[in-house]
Every structure is written in structure tokens, then in C-alpha cells.
Amino acid sequence: MEDQVRWLTTQEQASWRAYLRGTRLIATALDEGLTRHGTRLTEYEILSMLSEAPDGRLRMSALAQLVVQSRSRLTHTATRLERLGWVQRHAVREDRRGVELSLTPAGRAKLEELAEVHVSDVRRILIDRLTPEEFEALGHAMTRVVDSIDVTEGDC
Amino acid sequence: MEDQVRWLTTQEQASWRAYLRGTRLIATALDEGLTRHGTRLTEYEILSMLSEAPDGRLRMSALAQLVVQSRSRLTHTATRLERLGWVQRHAVREDRRGVELSLTPAGRAKLEELAEVHVSDVRRILIDRLTPEEFEALGHAMTRVVDSIDVTEGDC
DNA sequence: GGAATATGATTGAACTCTCAACAGTTCTCC
DNA sequence: GGAGAACTGTTGAGAGTTCAATCATATTCC
């Protein structure tokens, strides 16, 4: 077996710890902001993706990949959002297994309300605490990771 | 009210999107690695913090803050870990409200097993996908955010 | 053409997390 | 010194998530 683990250097460990704690703090703070308006970040992401989709619609599985949720989880969440009247399911013509999701007018209105809250929270909690260069570097690093993982996983 | 939201620039939005998706992908991948060994990242963090505590013990509330979990959540998780035989509760002499948590020998053994898995996963999934400079920049940015938030929140 | 395999989405039960309420203890301050 | 406020940790119920199984449809390939 691969018996020699390359442990983290002190430097690496510090970075990794900061990453872990930071992401948790940020997620918690953002969730809190949205919770006061009756949603969670994970639900917000779904609404947001739908609003930006070419046709205003997305297949369940495509959406699940975009927001990094299991199909099962998305099914449950979509049902909840549907009951709230924010999204709507549609059959897919070309593939009768498929289901597409779209925003309802009420969902779009809600999203607009939430977006204001969310964007100012993102600034207050993350962007404003860094210099533009630092935030840019953060974005760059995360982009590289995302692209690299997408290539690795997307080898279906 | 604050009526003019400063929306994100294209650049900012790209960074924020990458951050969101990246953190989710990383969290999912790391969790998957640990799940194969019977744990979650959130539980691993608890074990890890305990192992590094000065006396090998931490107060529930201090631990909760370290791993960014609610006290309630930590209570439940600690109960679970206790049932697994990995941690142990202790009364606190000086403060009779208090409870301290520590690793059992079995918990320490388990942690050592998990640490190998986890560290190689962190390298494979995050560190190795970036140049040392990029990872360093990521750590730097997150450190700044964490410190800044700790100052803001820690104004008890 | 049709059996075997793969894919898309859902289901329900088990598990985990959240939220509000509570009980016990310590602190504050008149 | 004692009432009120604040803090610590737990509890239980409800809400959300995971996991494995299932159903329906598409694709593959003999």
C-alpha cells in the first residue's frame, strides 16, 4: 500500500485550517442572512441557477451537478420549493424520463428579494474583508480547482 | 433602507461562483473519502481538535466554536461519537455546568487511521491541483477572512 | 427485435441537523 | 445575600439529508 503519507507542512496545515474554518464561518453567516428571509443558501443557489438558464429551465440532473447536490437531494428540495410555489416541474419532450425545473413568477419575485440580501452579505462577509487582489487570488485558486475537478470527474 | 445594492462585477461574480462550487466539490470529495472509513469530515474535525488540545480535552463550547458548530449539534455528535467509543465526557471541576470531551484510546487509534486517508485526500483534491503559490494565496485570503470574522464576532 | 445495461428521477426509511425550550450553574450588582 | 441576568449543555420534535431500492425510459449490441 501507499505507506508514506506526505503530511502537511506547518505552512500547508495553517492554510488548510484557515480554509476549513473560513468556509464554515462564511457558509454559516450567509445562511443566517437568507434564513431571516425564509430560505437557505442551497435553495437560493437553485433559484439562481434557474433564473440564469438559457430557457429559464434546467434538467434535474444538470441542475444537481451545477449546485453539487445529489439527484435525490434535489428531488426533495424541488418538491419543497414547488410546495412554496417558487418552482415548477415540466415533462421533457425528447426524453420521457426527464424532468425540467423552472421558476414561477412568484419564485422570480422571491429571488429578486433574496438577491439583494445575498449580494450585500457576500460583500460584507467575504469581499469587503479582503483587498481586491486577495479576493481575485482566492477566485483564481478556486477556479483552478473547480476546472481541474470538473475535468477529472467529467470523464464519463 | 439601503436601497442601492452594489451588485457584483463580472469578475467578482466569477470568483464568487468558483468559490461556491469549489468549496462544495471539495467538501463532497473529502467527505466521500472519510465516509468509506465510517466518518464524516465534521466528526473528523472534532477528533482532530481533541487530539491537539493541550490536555487532550476541550470544553464543549470551546470545541463548538473551533469547529463552527452549534452547541446543540455538538452535543448530538458527541453522543454519537461516545456511543462509538471514540470520545468520552468529563465533568469540569471549576465550573459545574461544564463538560469536557476527550479522545479514548480507541478514538486516538481511529483518528490515526483516518488522518492518513484525510491528508492524502486533501493533497489529491486541493493542494496538488494548485501551484504552491496559488495554495499559499488561498490560505492567505482565508486566514484574513477568518481573523476578520473572529474579531467581529468575538466581541463578547 | 429484444435482452441486457445504463440513465433519470423518485421514494421512504434511517440518520443528522436545527430550533426553541429547559435545567442547572455562575455572575452581577444593588 | 439574594433576585435577576447570563452562560453551559442537553433535550425532543420537526426539518432536511443520505442511502439503497425502485420504476420508467433509453441505449447498446448480439
Side-chain angles (χ1 to χ4, degrees):
Chain A
M1 308 307 226
E2 36 123 6
D3 221 335
Q4 35 226 41
V5 180
R6 278 182 56 217
W7 299 103
L8 301 186
T9 65
T10 308
Q11 178 67 263
E12 286 171 338
Q13 179 146 152
S15 291
W16 171 239
R17 287 283 161 86
Y19 171 87
L20 209 47
R21 197 168 144 70
T23 53
R24 297 265 151 86
L25 287 170
I26 291 167
T28 304
L30 290 177
D31 244 10
E32 199 202 339
L34 289 171
T35 296
R36 274 196 244 98
H37 292 252
T39 334
R40 299 294 172 74
L41 184 49
T42 49
E43 295 178 344
Y44 175 83
E45 279 181 85
I46 291 171
L47 301 179
S48 166
M49 291 299 165
L50 288 177
S51 85
E52 291 174 19
D55 290 339
R57 302 173 162 216
L58 281 171
R59 283 285 289 261
M60 294 294 279
S61 53
L63 182 51
Q65 284 196 304
L66 278 175
V67 300
V68 192
Q69 293 188 14
S70 67
R71 285 203 309 282
S72 169
R73 181 176 176 182
L74 180 57
T75 292
H76 288 298
T77 307
T79 303
R80 217 183 312 138
L81 294 175
E82 208 175 16
R83 269 202 289 267
L84 286 167
W86 296 350
V87 305
Q88 194 168 359
R89 282 181 224 247
H90 311 271
V92 177
R93 240 176 254 301
E94 315 82 56
D95 183 345
R96 297 202 307 177
R97 293 167 305 181
V99 171
E100 281 178 339
L101 217 58
S102 73
L103 288 178
T104 62
R108 194 168 294 277
K110 185 70 186 178
L111 176 60
E112 275 164 27
E113 172 198 336
L114 294 171
E116 300 205 356
V117 175
H118 183 59
V119 168
S120 27
D121 280 353
V122 171
R123 280 209 185 282
R124 185 170 48 79
I125 290 161
L126 177 59
I127 303 183
D128 290 351
R129 294 179 195 262
L130 298 174
T131 65
E133 293 74 26
E134 286 167 340
F135 182 56
E136 161 70 26
L138 175 61
H140 171 76
M142 294 306 285
T143 302
R144 293 253 297 135
V145 173
V146 169
D147 289 349
S148 161
I149 292 181
D150 277 344
V151 168
T152 311
E153 313 284 297
D155 53 0
C156 29
Chain B
M1 306 308 229
E2 36 123 3
D3 221 332
Q4 36 225 41
V5 179
R6 279 182 55 218
W7 299 102
L8 302 186
T9 65
T10 307
Q11 178 68 263
E12 285 171 339
Q13 179 146 152
S15 291
W16 171 240
R17 286 284 162 85
Y19 171 87
L20 209 46
R21 196 167 144 73
T23 53
R24 296 266 152 85
L25 287 169
I26 291 167
T28 303
L30 291 177
D31 245 10
E32 198 203 336
L34 289 171
T35 295
R36 272 196 246 99
H37 291 253
T39 336
R40 301 292 172 74
L41 184 50
T42 50
E43 296 179 345
Y44 176 84
E45 280 182 84
I46 291 171
L47 301 179
S48 167
M49 290 298 164
L50 288 176
S51 85
E52 290 174 19
D55 290 340
R57 302 173 161 217
L58 282 171
R59 282 286 292 260
M60 294 294 278
S61 54
L63 182 51
Q65 284 196 303
L66 278 175
V67 299
V68 193
Q69 294 189 14
S70 67
R71 285 203 307 285
S72 171
R73 180 176 178 182
L74 180 57
T75 293
H76 287 298
T77 308
T79 303
R80 218 182 312 138
L81 294 175
E82 208 174 16
R83 269 203 289 267
L84 286 167
W86 296 350
V87 305
Q88 192 169 2
R89 282 181 225 249
H90 311 272
V92 177
R93 239 176 254 303
E94 315 82 54
D95 183 344
R96 298 201 305 177
R97 295 169 301 184
V99 171
E100 281 178 340
L101 215 60
S102 74
L103 288 178
T104 61
R108 193 168 295 277
K110 185 69 185 176
L111 176 60
E112 275 164 29
E113 171 198 337
L114 295 171
E116 299 205 357
V117 176
H118 182 60
V119 168
S120 29
D121 280 353
V122 170
R123 281 208 187 282
R124 185 170 48 79
I125 291 160
L126 177 58
I127 303 183
D128 289 351
R129 294 179 195 263
L130 298 174
T131 66
E133 292 74 27
E134 287 167 338
F135 181 57
E136 161 70 26
L138 175 61
H140 171 76
M142 294 307 285
T143 302
R144 294 252 297 135
V145 174
V146 170
D147 290 348
S148 162
I149 292 181
D150 278 343
V151 168
T152 311
E153 312 285 297
D155 53 1
C156 33

